[in-house]
Amino acid sequence: MSKRLRCGVIGVGMGQGHIKGYQSHPGAEMVAVADVNPERLKTVADTFGVANRYTDALAMLKREKLDVVSIATPNTFHMPLALAAFKAGCHVLCEKPMAMNAQQGARMVVAAKQARRRLMIDFSYRFTEQASALKRQVDTGILGEVYFARSVWHRRRGLPGFGGWFGVKKLSGGGPLIDLGVHRLDLALWLMGYPEPEWVMGGAWSPIGSRLAREEKKAFDCEDLACGMIRFKNGAMLELEASWAANIAERELMETRLLGTKAGLVQRNRNEGYDFEAEIYLERDGAQYDMKLHPPVKGVPSAYHHFIDSILSGKPHLAPGEEGLIVMRILDAIYASAARKRPIRIG
Ligand SMILES: NC(=O)c1ccc[n+]([C@@H]2O[C@H](COP(=O)([O-])OP(=O)(O)OC[C@H]3O[C@@H](n4cnc5c(N)ncnc54)[C@H](O)[C@@H]3O)[C@@H](O)[C@H]2O)c1
């Protein structure tokens, strides 16, 4: 491979996954990391052997002449850092949610176009063997017309970094809907072929999170459960649910179902953990069949490898900013509908 892409990572929590991803790709060179927390920066940079480290991401962008930048900071910094990265001539792989809201997301999409650079959102759950295998099946037309979908991610008790930025709206943009629901919304939309949304009806509550925050004297002003019913222009509907705290049996419950005229599918987590299973249910000649994916299937590249591969080959990448923006518009509408207690038209 002739050219290796010079990569930088901003934010070294989830950013560690990005560092590993770039370090394991022969076409990428992991050049520099940035984080405002100097101790964490040093620990992570030492662990991964990254020589160039910055507590100021803008200084890194100025000095390192990077080709690719990953943004894995609290959500409030995604847009300003992405705009700075495009200005510095970089392609951007941005963590989910792409921004605090659709307005910010739109600015990122425009900036990427103006800079003629790529913007990909790390919708990492697409890059599992199960999701990828299901997508290949869906693309054959096996489901017929998809008319209903339901996509959920619930936790019994799982408020991330309770008291930290995740639960503070001005830093995160919202609670489990924008944090977990964003993944399940993208996965369902991707499998459905990203139909155009028209109406959204949403609700959001915080009975458990708010009580715990009061008891434990933690900062928290987000919902702990939200749901949305999305109607698309093609007549299909999608029900979305996400929670950080809910009185349910499962510690962690992720499930995405699509119902079509010829078949239905499910992608869900196994044993309340982070591995998945995929099944398709068919009707053929009046009989019912189950199709179950038996892993391992051929390796599916991670989001990081996919982004590097796409840049080097000049092919389009998955999860472009434009799809991230549709996700943000739906999330905004769910929050607006919950606040105003009425359906919101978005299309
Ligand atoms: N794709 C996924 O599955 C997945 C999983 C976890 C988190 N995330 C996303 O990754 C992002 C980071 O989440 P996290 O769990 O790593 O949070 P975190 O709090 O553990 O890490 C964020 C890091 O960013 C640093 N930081 C804050 N402001 C900064 C700035 N202006 N410049 C540079 N560094 C800065 C912090 O010091 C911290 O080390 C969020 O957007 C989150 O939604 C995605």
Side-chain angles (χ1 to χ4, degrees):
M1 202 163 296
S2 52
K3 175 163 164 55
R4 289 175 81 206
L5 298 172
R6 290 171 61 78
C7 302
V9 172
I10 307 176
V12 296
M14 179 61 196
Q16 292 172 56
H18 295 241
I19 297 172
K20 277 187 236 173
Y22 297 138
Q23 283 184 332
S24 58
H25 195 295
E29 185 188 355
M30 187 52 231
V31 171
V33 283
D35 197 295
V36 289
N37 177 335
E39 290 84 34
R40 197 177 196 191
L41 176 66
K42 179 178 174 0
T43 307
V44 173
D46 285 351
T47 305
F48 291 96
V50 183
N52 306 306
R53 7 180 121 180
Y54 294 82
T55 49
D56 177 0
L58 299 183
M60 177 181 86
L61 292 173
K62 208 167 166 191
R63 206 160 309 154
E64 295 292 350
K65 298 202 179 345
L66 300 168
D67 299 300
V68 176
V69 166
S70 275
I71 299 173
T73 61
N75 306 339
T76 189
F77 303 114
H78 289 184
M79 181 201 68
L81 288 170
L83 299 190
F86 290 132
K87 225 174 175 177
C90 307
H91 300 290
V92 172
L93 175 54
C94 185
E95 266 307 335
K96 47 50 64 171
M98 75 186 293
M100 301 283 278
N101 51 47
Q103 206 185 3
Q104 290 193 351
R107 286 186 65 186
M108 291 163 69
V109 168
V110 168
K113 275 212 182 90
Q114 284 173 346
R116 294 171 183 272
R117 287 294 174 268
R118 291 171 184 253
L119 171 59
M120 175 173 161
I121 313 304
D122 188 17
F123 289 133
S124 44
Y125 288 83
R126 291 191 193 190
F127 296 88
T128 63
E129 290 165 346
Q130 292 73 19
S132 168
L134 284 173
K135 178 65 173 162
R136 283 198 298 275
Q137 283 303 312
V138 171
D139 288 347
T140 67
I142 194 170
L143 299 188
E145 297 299 317
V146 174
Y147 53 91
F148 180 76
R150 179 172 177 260
S151 207
V152 309
W153 188 338
H154 285 295
R155 287 181 180 161
R156 185 162 185 163
R157 293 291 182 277
L159 298 127
F162 195 35
W165 70 266
F166 274 98
V168 177
K169 210 178 280 179
K170 68 173 194 291
L171 299 175
S172 61
L177 181 67
I178 202 169
D179 178 42
L180 308 178
V182 70
H183 276 301
R184 286 282 139 187
L185 174 56
D186 170 70
L187 190 61
L189 290 174
W190 182 51
L191 291 169
M192 294 169 86
Y194 260 85
E196 218 181 312
E198 186 174 30
W199 283 96
V200 171
M201 175 80 168
W205 303 265
S206 183
I208 301 169
S210 298
R211 175 175 54 78
L212 292 175
R214 269 196 310 276
E215 286 170 5
E216 297 178 30
K217 298 195 179 2
K218 303 264 184 154
F220 186 80
D221 65 355
C222 293
E223 83 279 5
D224 62 27
L225 184 145
C227 68
M229 197 76 198
I230 303 133
R231 188 173 181 89
F232 300 94
K233 286 191 175 157
N234 66 7
M237 291 186 82
L238 163 65
E239 192 198 328
L240 177 70
E241 302 168 21
S243 67
W244 281 336
N247 292 322
I248 55 169
E250 298 84 355
R251 186 165 50 87
E252 194 102 54
L253 169 68
M254 299 176 225
E255 186 175 281
T256 298
R257 283 181 185 275
L258 264 59
L259 303 189
T261 48
K262 292 189 192 154
L265 68 75
V266 65
Q267 189 271 8
R268 65 182 157 221
N269 67 327
R270 261 203 289 248
N271 304 319
E272 302 175 29
Y274 280 70
D275 50 54
F276 298 92
E277 59 189 7
E279 290 183 22
I280 291 178
Y281 312 108
L282 306 118
E283 185 185 322
R284 291 288 183 271
D285 306 321
Q288 311 294 322
Y289 295 87
D290 293 355
M291 226 172 105
K292 194 174 171 65
L293 178 72
H294 285 283
V297 291
K298 280 229 170 78
V300 172
S302 66
Y304 324 110
H305 281 212
H306 171 76
F307 197 44
I308 297 292
D309 288 340
S310 305
I311 296 168
L312 290 173
S313 65
K315 290 185 185 154
H317 58 272
L318 293 176
E322 286 79 359
E323 289 178 357
L325 180 54
I326 293 171
V327 165
M328 291 314 305
R329 289 174 65 213
I330 293 173
L331 296 181
D332 282 4
I334 293 175
Y335 281 129
S337 171
R340 295 179 209 159
K341 299 186 171 51
R342 62 171 178 80
I344 300 285
R345 189 178 188 114
I346 51 175

